Amino acid sequence: MEVTLLTELHERSGEADGITDDLSGEPWRDVPREEAQWIRPHLPALVDSMVEGVLRHVPEYARPDDPVYTEVMRVAVAQGMGHFVQMIADPDASWQEVHQVFFDIGYGEAMEGRSLEHLQNALRVASRTAWRYLSREAERLTKPRRLAIVLTEVNFAYLDLLASAAAQGYARARERTAGDREQRRGRLLSLLLSDPPAPRDVVAEQANLAGWALPGRLAVIVLSPRPGGGGEGPAGLPPFLLSGVDRGRPCLVMPDPDRPGGPDRLTATLGGWEGAVGPSVPAEQAGISLRWAHRTLDLVAAGRLTRDGPGTLVHADRYVPDLLLQEGRTLAEAAARRRLAPLGALGPHRGARLAATMLECLKHGFNATDAAETLCVHPQTVRYRLAQLHEIFDYDIEDPAIRLELMLLLPVWLRDNADGEHT
């Protein structure tokens, strides 16, 4: 409606006076300074009318049980309109005070968790009320049409400046709130991953401050960039994840990892990264999950883990034997050399064939047919090799008491003798 009326005023003014719209970027400079004199006495009534309009049309600001809030609004409106008239009387008057007032109002809106939309609605209602009031009064005083046009321009321009100051305050508060939240989440991550673990009540208090629901169980994910990808860390992470850096690697804390889909539902989010997921643990044992995630990723980087598929994440609890052997790597290598010494004496090719046969027989309960299928040889070949194995070892390779040890040591021996022929 305001735009329509403004257009009409322009057209009527042009017909009557032959003037064109050549107003400056600061339209209050186009108002004769003496015009401030007839506006100033109307300020108390005008402020009352503006506050009443806001309370009627913006229900979020109507607080009948909070007279202090209404009074603060009245003071802000009075300061704004007082400065509006002052700008007409002195176009070079300072904006600093009124800018700070509306900056603070925008800041307060954000801190109270309200949308900026409510404040913008209130400013528009107040501006429209002021425009109507002053237009009627100018008409009553038979002021020139051009003055009505310029006052309209001043009103809209002034509204834009106040809205801009409020938006700046709102944005500053949001930045500060986001920064505070990230700092609290960072402190929470440090507490969760600390060694020794931080007291649970301290962690719970920090989780509450950070706005993060402390789960019963969690898993830690550590990441490294794929060739040609990565960066400082993955972007666009969902807010339920805590993120940070540990030992130079981005790390994530995922609550309730045992839910359907678990960490694997992050695959699309973690494009450009590969990672390892530590075991699911109680929240107070997050450091354990972190440690095994790191060690799993170390094995991935060293090429010592065979992935189940091309997915982004490798789960530590799916590679327990590999991790246990890596943990005691030097012990396992020494034990493999001693326990499997007869294989080494046969030379690399024959020893590797018999080692691979022995491992598959252990996996298949010494069923020659099943082992032969995996090795892609005839079952009789497996039986022949088994006979050789029984002959070269001075202990029973089918003894249940040593089967687990042999299954752990044979992959170590095969890795150290990788040049041999396995079939």
Side-chain angles (χ1 to χ4, degrees):
M1 181 173 66
E2 288 85 349
V3 174
T4 303
L5 291 174
L6 178 59
T7 302
E8 182 181 347
L9 282 171
H10 274 284
E11 292 173 349
R12 289 172 56 191
S13 177
E15 292 170 359
D17 303 321
I19 63 173
T20 58
D21 181 13
D22 59 352
L23 298 175
S24 69
E26 297 179 336
W28 45 86
R29 294 185 181 276
D30 298 294
V31 182
R33 297 188 179 188
E34 60 271 16
E35 298 296 341
Q37 297 176 7
W38 67 265
I39 299 176
R40 188 169 280 115
H42 291 280
L43 286 180
L46 179 54
V47 168
D48 286 343
S49 180
M50 293 168 71
V51 171
E52 181 182 348
V54 170
L55 295 177
R56 183 187 313 120
H57 296 290
V58 188
E60 292 80 8
Y61 282 15
R63 300 185 181 183
D65 299 330
D66 190 354
V68 174
Y69 184 84
T70 303
E71 184 58 28
V72 170
M73 184 196 309
R74 183 180 301 277
V75 170
V77 171
Q79 285 186 282
M81 286 308 301
H83 184 259
F84 176 88
V85 177
Q86 181 62 25
M87 292 299 295
I88 294 174
D90 178 12
D92 295 317
S94 172
W95 276 87
Q96 182 175 355
E97 184 176 352
V98 74
H99 181 278
Q100 188 64 49
V101 167
F102 283 85
F103 181 97
D104 292 344
I105 289 173
Y107 192 97
E109 290 293 288
M111 296 305 291
E112 290 192 19
R114 283 196 295 269
S115 166
L116 190 58
E117 179 184 0
H118 303 322
L119 175 57
Q120 292 170 336
N121 286 341
L123 288 172
R124 283 193 290 267
V125 168
S127 176
R128 185 168 64 242
T129 302
W131 177 74
R132 287 176 175 171
Y133 188 105
L134 294 177
S135 295
R136 287 195 300 267
E137 190 60 21
E139 184 176 358
R140 187 183 69 81
L141 295 173
T142 64
K143 293 290 182 178
R145 288 194 182 106
R146 178 169 177 79
L147 178 63
I149 294 173
V150 177
L151 284 177
T152 302
E153 293 282 353
V154 173
N155 186 57
F156 289 161
Y158 195 78
L159 169 65
D160 287 344
L161 291 169
L162 295 186
S164 176
Q168 291 173 32
Y170 191 90
R172 179 72 58 81
R174 292 292 296 270
E175 289 173 3
R176 176 178 175 181
T177 301
D180 289 346
R181 183 172 58 251
E182 287 306 310
Q183 288 181 1
R184 292 186 181 117
R185 286 169 69 95
R187 286 195 291 269
L188 173 60
L189 181 69
S190 297
L191 287 172
L192 281 170
L193 303 182
S194 63
D195 185 17
R200 183 173 178 83
D201 58 339
V202 174
V203 175
E205 180 182 2
Q206 188 61 42
N208 184 57
L209 291 173
W212 193 74
L214 190 62
R217 299 184 70 82
L218 53 78
V220 179
I221 305 169
V222 294
L223 304 169
S224 64
R226 291 178 176 174
E232 293 185 359
L237 294 173
F240 64 81
L241 293 174
L242 291 180
S243 63
V245 176
D246 187 80
R247 304 181 211 171
R249 288 169 166 168
C251 67
L252 311 173
V253 173
M254 182 174 195
D256 303 318
D258 301 320
R259 289 184 300 173
D264 290 325
R265 55 198 168 114
L266 300 176
T267 298
T269 304
L270 299 178
W273 295 82
E274 63 181 9
V277 186
S280 172
V281 295
E284 58 271 18
Q285 296 178 12
I288 295 175
S289 186
L290 172 69
R291 181 165 65 253
W292 287 108
H294 272 298
R295 292 179 181 176
T296 303
L297 195 55
D298 290 339
L299 290 184
V300 171
R304 294 183 176 178
L305 283 186
T306 303
R307 294 170 177 268
D308 292 335
T312 299
L313 299 175
V314 178
H315 294 254
D317 54 10
R318 298 176 188 172
Y319 296 91
V320 172
D322 301 90
L323 289 167
L324 291 177
L325 287 172
Q326 178 65 17
E327 187 74 5
R329 181 176 58 85
T330 55
L331 174 62
E333 289 172 348
R337 285 193 296 269
R338 179 187 59 81
R339 178 67 84 173
L340 302 173
L343 292 174
L346 298 175
H349 298 293
R350 186 183 176 198
R353 283 197 300 268
L354 290 180
T357 301
M358 185 176 180
L359 180 59
E360 291 305 321
C361 286
L362 286 163
K363 290 179 180 179
H364 294 92
F366 288 91
N367 183 305
T369 301
D370 292 342
E373 184 176 350
T374 302
L375 293 168
C376 299
V377 297
H378 194 278
Q380 189 59 35
T381 301
V382 173
R383 296 186 184 98
Y384 175 72
R385 292 178 184 175
L386 272 176
Q388 295 180 71
L389 288 166
H390 280 292
E391 183 178 340
I392 65 174
F393 286 104
D394 59 1
Y395 54 85
D396 184 3
I397 62 173
E398 298 188 36
D399 184 348
I402 63 171
R403 281 188 186 181
L404 177 59
E405 180 185 353
L406 291 175
M407 289 187 70
L408 289 172
L409 296 181
L410 280 164
V412 175
W413 191 94
L414 284 166
R415 187 194 67 212
D416 292 342
N417 295 269
D419 293 336
E421 175 64 49
H422 290 193
T423 57

